[in-house]
Amino acid sequence: MKDMAYFFSSFNGVEIDLSEFDTSLVTTMRYMFYRNYNITSLDLSSFNVENVSSMECMFMSCNKLESLDLSNFITTNLTNVYQMFTNCTKLTHLDIRNFDFTKVTSYSNMFGSSASSGVPNDCLIIVKDETAKEWITSKFARLTNVKTVVEYESGV
């Protein structure tokens, strides 16, 4: 399977067991968890996203999601993160330490246009290095708590 667009869209449950999913051939995860209003956490540690180019609206309207660990996501082919976290208004911790933004061309409203329609301004966002931090803070100036792995691990 290469396309997981809308795969879990509008899921009404509280938990999804994703441990058995083979995502190594997937190229698009657009709207994958769109409108999962009841999900409070997701374990995506088994996901291989190396071939994924689009995560457009992937977590859009997961408005009860408080923490998301995507630290295992190696995103060397990622080009589209448009509205990826729009309406994730409860998200306080986001670990995207292995995201590579080099090829990203579509990023408008990745974190929502404001705190009322996206992640809170002070959401802790962990990125790999100063280059990734600069990429996010230059495009999304309202985000005030973006830290590199070194800053995060040293408590800066």
Side-chain angles (χ1 to χ4, degrees), residues 111 119-123 125 136-137 140-146:
F111 299 99
V119 302
N121 294 341
D122 63 348
C123 175
I125 301 172
I136 289 176
T137 56
F140 310 101
R142 72 177 184 81
L143 300 174
T144 60
N145 200 12
V146 180

mmCIF file of all heavy atoms in Angstrom, residues 111 119-123 125 136-137 140-146:
data_model
loop_
_atom_site.group_PDB
_atom_site.id
_atom_site.type_symbol
_atom_site.label_atom_id
_atom_site.label_comp_id
_atom_site.label_asym_id
_atom_site.label_seq_id
_atom_site.Cartn_x
_atom_site.Cartn_y
_atom_site.Cartn_z
ATOM 1 N N PHE A 111 1.350 24.392 11.599
ATOM 2 C CA PHE A 111 0.977 24.335 13.009
ATOM 3 C C PHE A 111 -0.333 25.089 13.287
ATOM 4 O O PHE A 111 -0.657 25.363 14.431
ATOM 5 C CB PHE A 111 2.104 24.928 13.865
ATOM 6 C CG PHE A 111 3.395 24.179 13.721
ATOM 7 C CD1 PHE A 111 4.392 24.642 12.878
ATOM 8 C CD2 PHE A 111 3.608 23.000 14.407
ATOM 9 C CE1 PHE A 111 5.585 23.951 12.733
ATOM 10 C CE2 PHE A 111 4.794 22.294 14.272
ATOM 11 C CZ PHE A 111 5.791 22.770 13.424
ATOM 12 N N VAL A 119 -1.599 24.522 17.165
ATOM 13 C CA VAL A 119 -0.894 24.216 18.410
ATOM 14 C C VAL A 119 -0.727 25.502 19.223
ATOM 15 O O VAL A 119 -0.623 26.588 18.650
ATOM 16 C CB VAL A 119 0.473 23.547 18.148
ATOM 17 C CG1 VAL A 119 0.317 22.274 17.352
ATOM 18 C CG2 VAL A 119 1.443 24.474 17.475
ATOM 19 N N PRO A 120 -0.715 25.382 20.538
ATOM 20 C CA PRO A 120 -0.498 26.565 21.369
ATOM 21 C C PRO A 120 0.861 27.201 21.063
ATOM 22 O O PRO A 120 1.808 26.512 20.682
ATOM 23 C CB PRO A 120 -0.526 26.008 22.800
ATOM 24 C CG PRO A 120 -1.314 24.739 22.691
ATOM 25 C CD PRO A 120 -0.989 24.187 21.333
ATOM 26 N N ASN A 121 0.955 28.504 21.231
ATOM 27 C CA ASN A 121 2.195 29.231 20.952
ATOM 28 C C ASN A 121 3.388 28.673 21.721
ATOM 29 O O ASN A 121 4.505 28.687 21.232
ATOM 30 C CB ASN A 121 2.035 30.714 21.288
ATOM 31 C CG ASN A 121 1.038 31.406 20.382
ATOM 32 O OD1 ASN A 121 0.720 30.920 19.303
ATOM 33 N ND2 ASN A 121 0.527 32.531 20.831
ATOM 34 N N ASP A 122 3.147 28.184 22.946
ATOM 35 C CA ASP A 122 4.241 27.692 23.786
ATOM 36 C C ASP A 122 4.405 26.170 23.746
ATOM 37 O O ASP A 122 5.104 25.594 24.582
ATOM 38 C CB ASP A 122 4.067 28.174 25.224
ATOM 39 C CG ASP A 122 2.796 27.635 25.869
ATOM 40 O OD1 ASP A 122 1.927 27.084 25.153
ATOM 41 O OD2 ASP A 122 2.659 27.775 27.099
ATOM 42 N N CYS A 123 3.810 25.507 22.787
ATOM 43 C CA CYS A 123 3.983 24.067 22.624
ATOM 44 C C CYS A 123 5.472 23.767 22.480
ATOM 45 O O CYS A 123 6.165 24.403 21.688
ATOM 46 C CB CYS A 123 3.235 23.588 21.377
ATOM 47 S SG CYS A 123 3.489 21.842 20.970
ATOM 48 N N ILE A 125 8.388 22.131 20.969
ATOM 49 C CA ILE A 125 8.674 21.446 19.708
ATOM 50 C C ILE A 125 10.167 21.144 19.688
ATOM 51 O O ILE A 125 10.992 22.057 19.734
ATOM 52 C CB ILE A 125 8.265 22.308 18.499
ATOM 53 C CG1 ILE A 125 6.772 22.622 18.563
ATOM 54 C CG2 ILE A 125 8.625 21.601 17.193
ATOM 55 C CD1 ILE A 125 6.291 23.622 17.541
ATOM 56 N N ILE A 136 11.691 26.440 11.233
ATOM 57 C CA ILE A 136 10.377 26.571 11.878
ATOM 58 C C ILE A 136 10.142 27.986 12.378
ATOM 59 O O ILE A 136 9.101 28.584 12.097
ATOM 60 C CB ILE A 136 10.221 25.551 13.027
ATOM 61 C CG1 ILE A 136 10.076 24.144 12.438
ATOM 62 C CG2 ILE A 136 9.007 25.890 13.905
ATOM 63 C CD1 ILE A 136 10.013 23.036 13.450
ATOM 64 N N THR A 137 11.082 28.562 13.107
ATOM 65 C CA THR A 137 10.849 29.880 13.700
ATOM 66 C C THR A 137 10.776 30.992 12.658
ATOM 67 O O THR A 137 10.107 32.000 12.887
ATOM 68 C CB THR A 137 11.918 30.217 14.761
ATOM 69 O OG1 THR A 137 13.217 30.137 14.172
ATOM 70 C CG2 THR A 137 11.818 29.259 15.942
ATOM 71 N N PHE A 140 7.098 30.290 11.240
ATOM 72 C CA PHE A 140 6.007 30.263 12.222
ATOM 73 C C PHE A 140 6.447 31.026 13.467
ATOM 74 O O PHE A 140 6.680 30.444 14.523
ATOM 75 C CB PHE A 140 5.639 28.811 12.557
ATOM 76 C CG PHE A 140 5.404 27.956 11.341
ATOM 77 C CD1 PHE A 140 6.390 27.092 10.890
ATOM 78 C CD2 PHE A 140 4.226 28.050 10.622
ATOM 79 C CE1 PHE A 140 6.197 26.317 9.756
ATOM 80 C CE2 PHE A 140 4.022 27.287 9.486
ATOM 81 C CZ PHE A 140 5.011 26.413 9.048
ATOM 82 N N ALA A 141 6.554 32.335 13.332
ATOM 83 C CA ALA A 141 7.119 33.201 14.377
ATOM 84 C C ALA A 141 6.340 33.134 15.691
ATOM 85 O O ALA A 141 6.913 33.399 16.748
ATOM 86 C CB ALA A 141 7.180 34.643 13.873
ATOM 87 N N ARG A 142 5.084 32.761 15.663
ATOM 88 C CA ARG A 142 4.284 32.723 16.892
ATOM 89 C C ARG A 142 4.713 31.611 17.853
ATOM 90 O O ARG A 142 4.423 31.657 19.037
ATOM 91 C CB ARG A 142 2.796 32.604 16.575
ATOM 92 C CG ARG A 142 2.360 31.256 16.060
ATOM 93 C CD ARG A 142 0.843 31.167 15.834
ATOM 94 N NE ARG A 142 0.437 29.844 15.433
ATOM 95 C CZ ARG A 142 0.240 28.821 16.264
ATOM 96 N NH1 ARG A 142 0.408 28.979 17.551
ATOM 97 N NH2 ARG A 142 -0.141 27.644 15.800
ATOM 98 N N LEU A 143 5.438 30.614 17.347
ATOM 99 C CA LEU A 143 5.881 29.493 18.178
ATOM 100 C C LEU A 143 7.087 29.918 19.006
ATOM 101 O O LEU A 143 8.124 30.280 18.469
ATOM 102 C CB LEU A 143 6.205 28.278 17.311
ATOM 103 C CG LEU A 143 5.027 27.767 16.481
ATOM 104 C CD1 LEU A 143 5.474 26.658 15.539
ATOM 105 C CD2 LEU A 143 3.884 27.287 17.367
ATOM 106 N N THR A 144 6.946 29.870 20.323
ATOM 107 C CA THR A 144 7.955 30.432 21.215
ATOM 108 C C THR A 144 8.788 29.394 21.979
ATOM 109 O O THR A 144 9.652 29.765 22.761
ATOM 110 C CB THR A 144 7.286 31.352 22.254
ATOM 111 O OG1 THR A 144 6.342 30.558 23.015
ATOM 112 C CG2 THR A 144 6.571 32.515 21.580
ATOM 113 N N ASN A 145 8.520 28.104 21.756
ATOM 114 C CA ASN A 145 9.202 27.082 22.549
ATOM 115 C C ASN A 145 9.782 25.975 21.659
ATOM 116 O O ASN A 145 9.584 24.797 21.923
ATOM 117 C CB ASN A 145 8.236 26.503 23.585
ATOM 118 C CG ASN A 145 8.941 25.823 24.734
ATOM 119 O OD1 ASN A 145 10.143 25.952 24.908
ATOM 120 N ND2 ASN A 145 8.182 25.074 25.516
ATOM 121 N N VAL A 146 10.507 26.383 20.627
ATOM 122 C CA VAL A 146 11.167 25.432 19.729
ATOM 123 C C VAL A 146 12.585 25.223 20.253
ATOM 124 O O VAL A 146 13.327 26.187 20.450
ATOM 125 C CB VAL A 146 11.193 25.951 18.271
ATOM 126 C CG1 VAL A 146 11.872 24.949 17.360
ATOM 127 C CG2 VAL A 146 9.776 26.262 17.784
#
